[in-house]
Every structure is written in C-alpha cells, then in structure tokens.
Amino acid sequence: MLVRRAALSTAEVRSASAAIWERLALVSAIDNAETFCVYVSTGTEVETHGLIRQLLARGREVCVPAFVQGRYVTAMIDDFDADLQPGHWGILEPREVLPAAEPDVWLVPGVAFDRRGGRVGHGKGYFDRLLTGASGVKIGLAYEFQVVEVVPAAAHDVRLDYIITEKQTIKGH
C-alpha cells in the first residue's frame, strides 16, 4: 500500500483528493458539524491542506493532531499558514497547543481500510488512542486501492463510521 501510494503523482493526488472532498461534502454528518479534527496530510496521503483552509473559511472550528509528551492531542487552529509549523516526524502541527472542543467530525488517515470500518495506520496506535472514546463521526479518507477485504484488528482498534474514496462512500460497522 505504501509503495503504491508513494508512486502517485502530484496530479493524481490532487485529482483523487478533490473527488474525495466532493464525496465528503455529501455525508449528512458534515452538514451540522461545527468542529472538525482533520489530520494534516503529508507526502502522498489524501490531501487535507486545502480542505482545512475551506473549513476555516466557512467559519468551522478546526483542530489538528499535535504530538505532546509522546501522544497526540487535538489543538485548535485559526489560520493554516500562520498556526502550523513542522513538528514530530516533520508533519505540520500547531505552533501553540490550544485546547479544542470535542470534534463533531474526525477525518482520519490510514494505510489500509476495510468495509466494516477497520483501519490500519502506521502501527504505533497514536490515532486509535486519540479516537478512543471520541463521540464524533469518524471518517477515513482513502484512495480506492487502499480499501481491502479485511484489515487485521486488535481490541483497542477504533472502527470508523465511513471510509470515503474517490469512487465510493462506504458506511462502516
């Protein structure tokens, strides 16, 4: 999965990401959501920089993961360009960790997903710990090739409510 994702061109990432954003806008949970937690994309992940800017421009509250004392927490941002700087693993994170409200919607990255809402990340469990106990709608953003029949799941893995690709919207569990 990672090799295939790494081989995507900038044009392929932009095109697929735009299609994913369009599908995301059709999910009813988005309509009344006030607060979003959005991963800040890196490399050839489904792109979220433009999505974060759009949400902020529409007056939505946006928080992003911030790596603090060995774990991720959510931190509010008001301005994508002014509020973010390279952080842990070179991923953009808030310059200042401002407390965030409980997100209505969580937009989550992953390496592989299945149709039951299963998700495999990079194996460290950071996002699962962040999502444990979260009450908002959890949505994985993925390329079509990242959706597989079954992903391995452990008891601590958090299932997603939706997986959205450039070709389909999958209702999880």
Side-chain angles (χ1 to χ4, degrees), residues 51-131:
L51 181 58
I52 292 168
R53 287 183 173 99
Q54 286 179 15
L55 290 168
L56 289 169
R58 291 181 179 160
R60 305 292 177 91
E61 291 184 359
V62 176
C63 60
V64 299
F67 201 74
V68 177
Q69 296 178 349
R71 67 183 187 98
Y72 276 114
V73 298
T74 58
M76 294 299 297
I77 63 167
D78 293 316
D79 182 302
F80 185 92
D81 297 303
D83 292 350
L84 298 176
Q85 66 183 8
H88 201 68
W89 294 299
I91 300 170
L92 293 176
E93 294 183 20
R95 293 177 191 281
E96 183 180 356
V97 177
L98 301 173
E102 177 70 21
D104 300 311
V105 174
W106 298 79
L107 299 180
V108 182
V111 174
F113 302 84
D114 68 28
R115 295 185 168 282
R116 296 173 306 156
R119 171 190 162 276
V120 171
H122 288 277
K124 305 238 187 260
Y126 291 124
F127 259 92
D128 286 311
R129 283 191 289 282
L130 186 62
L131 293 171

Side-chain angles (χ1 to χ4, degrees), residues 138-160:
K138 298 159 201 68
I139 303 173
L141 303 183
Y143 300 108
E144 187 70 21
F145 66 82
Q146 291 178 283
V147 178
V148 298
E149 192 63 35
V150 177
V151 297
H156 67 272
D157 290 338
V158 176
R159 292 209 172 269
L160 304 178

